[in-house]
Amino acid sequence: METRVNYKNELNLMATELRLGLPGSDDKPSIRNNKRNSPDISEDYSSSKSSSSITMPGDDDQDSPPPAKEQVVGWPPIRSYRRNCIQNTKKNKGEGTGMYVKVSMDGAPYLRKIDLRVYKSYPQLLKALETMFKLTIGEYSEREGYNGSDYAPTYEDKDGDWMLVGDVPWEMFVCCCKRLRIMKGSEARGIV
Amino acid sequence: MGSSELKRSKDSVSSDESARRSSFPDEVLERVLSLLKPHRDRSSVSLVCKDWYNAERWSRTHVFIGNCYSVSPEIVARRFPRIRSVTLKGKPRFSDFNLVPENWGADIHSWLVVFAAKYPFLEELRLKRMAISDESLEFLAISFPNFKALSLLSCDGFSTNGLAAIATHCKNLTELDIQENGVYDKGGSWLSCFPESFTSLEVLNFANLTSDINFDALEKLVGRCKSMRVLKLNRSVSLEQLQRLLVNAPRLAELGTGSFSQELTIREYEELESTLSNCKIMHTLSGLWDAKGIYLPTLYPACSNLTFLNLSYAALQSVELAKLLAHCPRLKRLWVLDTVEDKGLEAVGLNCPLLEELRVFPADPFDDEIVHGVTEAGFLAVSFGCPRLHYVLYFCRQMTNAAVATIVQNCPDFTHFRLCIMNPGQPDYLTNEPMDEAFGAVVKTCTKLQRLSVSGLLTDLTFEYIGRYAKNLETLSVAFAGRSDWGMQCVLGGCPKLRKLEIRDCPFGNAALLSGLEKYESMRSLWMSACNVTMNGCRLLAREMPRLNVEVMKEDGSDDTQAYKVYVYRSIAGPRRDAPPSVLTL
């Protein structure tokens, strides 16, 4: 009696399983299956493929919802060489290659670090600095720098010189900036 | 020559018929024919009569073999005694996408052995999808004292040691072109193997290699090869190094930069800009790995004569591309990554009225989540601005029938139309209908179409259209398409010029396979994988058509009655003897 119940339970599990493919259709997203399905099913192919990620765990057919595309050998048709280049580029661009620079502020007990790549423009960077150090830096002007504020953001460039933030185009700044320093008070005003 | 002239004069005296024979001597005929270059014309010429066949074979210096197994090296050497240049293609094209087993064949060595004996003065060898080992490269380097040009595209089996052998021994080398191969890169010391006295190199392309190269050796090499016109560097060469190389090679016609993203000082930037502005005759530019937008302006002055721009390794944004293209008015061929998006392609349409070829590659082909890349809008924009467009390779995530119909109306001269909607079996995203009408429009409108790759959700109707209208079609690639045997039968019954048919994951079975019995002998090859063809079907084909080689590649663990991968090709060399155990010749 017990064994029969267990067997039945197993069957029931499958019968009550939520699947979005056609009844009786194999939900296999892998296209290496030789037997091509009937037209109806191949039409549903794209929808059943996305549904495979909705199937309940514990499904006998698949242990984890596989991203169907990656199971298809040789698709999309891109030469292995190019495929490897793409993967290498992704590795190089991945986590850990941010542009972290130290930020010091006069009078602060310790330094901070920010990732310059996160920002797309000077206003964004300055806002972040203002928030981080709880101060106001004010507006940049070519003629007067950050006049009207007690603070001036500066950076050390590749040649070792201390420059005022904002003079060069943003992308060039990101490449040249080695560290930031927020100058305060008379020293700051002295720069202008 | 004397005796044949005598024979001819005797004959012309004897009968009327002989008056119709060519009345000029063989030498003249050979001389005339030696000016004929295209190999198809030469084949036609050789069929005219026996005299012409002989004159042609004696005057031919370049032989093109589209399938290395269709003929044996001995047969080639017997027919063409004076060859100095050989082009050979090996594996089926789907080997580029890992569908062909590793040890399948197409090894060059047996050819080299025959060539060493029969063509000791061989000068050029161009290989595509062949297997070539370091030993073979070394053998090549020492067997042919006049060797000038080696080009390897999509080949594998060799390492940089083989390149070192070429550099060491080929004293007259003018061309070393290594493209998109599976090279085992053991480091850049091979460049130092070119002797100090070596100055003849005109073409050097090692963009394929990944490791650091010996820059000192490269700089010296470029410095002493004054005739260098093509230089394609690999990613390890920095911007600063590029600038140093270019100072010595301002007359480059084709340049492949290395990595375009080093941090430069203002002075270095200006130097680079100035050096590049001297490269006025440059017509082809590629490389530009990791290109940073701020350095692209250094290229602007060098782009005025550019006809081919290959940005397929530079993930540019639309604005960066637009700014660059504004300086490339003469552009005819453009390859980009889909990071430029539709906006970038709009810029193409606006700036490149002379464009003939466009290839858009996917930057993230395996990432479903992020929706980016190009759509039908980008393709449309290009078609409106570039009426001369005749070659397209387009990877996208969505397309509509209406868009394709408009595109081919704008550009009716397509000869190569390769559209890849990356999600298999995807319908028109607006109407949800199959993409049949799109490809129907292509074949109806583009009467010059030679090559077609289809994708998206397709019924047999697509293939009815192809069979009915694509009268000049030579190459057809099909994947995840069709409903029944009828589809393939339409193509085999319809396209009179079909030479290559490659099919994967389609519901075509034995009836379809066998409907092309007579057709396959006029074709180069047929590939079918993951279809419904059985071993019995293949055996029947092999039995009926003895001049075809029918090869089945077995998959481990698959059903023995199914023919999982089938490769059929015509051959005068008979079944090949170097097939690995996983490949059955029927």
Side-chain angles (χ1 to χ4, degrees), chain B residues 344-365:
Chain B
L345 294 181
E346 278 171 34
V348 175
L350 288 172
N351 287 294
C352 308
L354 301 178
L355 199 71
E356 297 175 13
E357 174 180 329
L358 175 70
R359 301 195 196 197
V360 182
F361 296 94
D364 255 326

Side-chain angles (χ1 to χ4, degrees), chain B residues 106-181:
Chain B
D107 195 305
I108 189 64
H109 202 81
S110 54
W111 289 85
L112 290 177
V113 168
V114 173
F115 290 163
K118 302 291 185 187
Y119 304 139
F121 300 113
L122 189 70
E123 293 176 4
E124 297 183 3
L125 189 63
R126 295 174 200 286
L127 304 179
K128 188 171 185 180
R129 293 191 199 101
M130 299 287 295
I132 177 161
S133 67
D134 286 343
E135 289 72 36
S136 295
L137 282 171
E138 180 150 12
F139 181 78
L140 168 67
I142 56 184
S143 307
F144 303 101
N146 262 16
F147 196 74
K148 295 206 168 96
L150 178 65
S151 167
L152 302 176
L153 172 57
S154 214
C155 298
D156 63 358
F158 62 103
S159 79
T160 42
N161 290 347
L163 298 181
I166 299 285
T168 308
H169 300 290
C170 298
K171 307 265 181 288
N172 296 310
L173 199 69
T174 58
E175 178 176 338
L176 182 60
D177 182 15
I178 312 295
Q179 277 189 69
E180 300 192 8
N181 302 290

Side-chain angles (χ1 to χ4, degrees), chain A residues 34, chain B residues 553-562 564:
Chain A
N34 260 343
Chain B
M553 281 158 259
K554 303 296 288 164
E555 278 288 293
D556 288 329
S558 71
D559 184 354
D560 268 343
T561 58
Q562 289 294 110
Y564 188 64

Side-chain angles (χ1 to χ4, degrees), chain A residues 74-88:
Chain A
W75 189 266
I78 301 169
R79 278 205 185 132
S80 325
Y81 170 68
R82 191 174 284 280
R83 203 180 283 243
N84 292 338
C85 279
I86 290 172
Q87 280 165 356
N88 282 340

Side-chain angles (χ1 to χ4, degrees), chain A residues 31-32 34-36 39 42-43 45-46 49 69-70 72-83 85-90 92-93 117 158-159 171-172 175, chain B residues 96-99 154 180 207-208 235 263 266 294 312-313 361-366 368 395 420 422-425 479-480 483 504-505 507 530-532 555 562 564:
Chain A
I31 303 167
R32 299 193 62 183
N34 260 343
K35 298 193 168 43
R36 214 65 199 111
S42 58
E43 242 174 42
Y45 174 70
S46 35
K49 192 161 63 66
K69 204 171 279 174
E70 288 182 51
V72 183
V73 176
W75 189 266
I78 301 169
R79 278 205 185 132
S80 325
Y81 170 68
R82 191 174 284 280
R83 203 180 283 243
C85 279
I86 290 172
Q87 280 165 356
N88 282 340
T89 313
K90 277 181 139 178
N92 290 340
K93 269 203 216 160
R117 293 242 162 105
K158 282 152 52 107
D159 296 327
E171 290 95 346
M172 197 176 276
C175 291
Chain B
D96 283 348
F97 319 128
N98 299 331
L99 286 178
S154 214
E180 300 192 8
N208 190 183
R235 203 174 191 166
E263 291 176 20
I266 306 274
I294 45 160
S312 62
Y313 296 106
F361 296 94
D364 255 326
F366 310 113
D368 255 336
F395 284 86
C420 182
M422 289 193 274
N423 195 5
F480 307 103
R483 290 275 165 88
R504 63 166 292 180
D505 295 276
C531 298
N532 290 342
E555 278 288 293
Q562 289 294 110
Y564 188 64

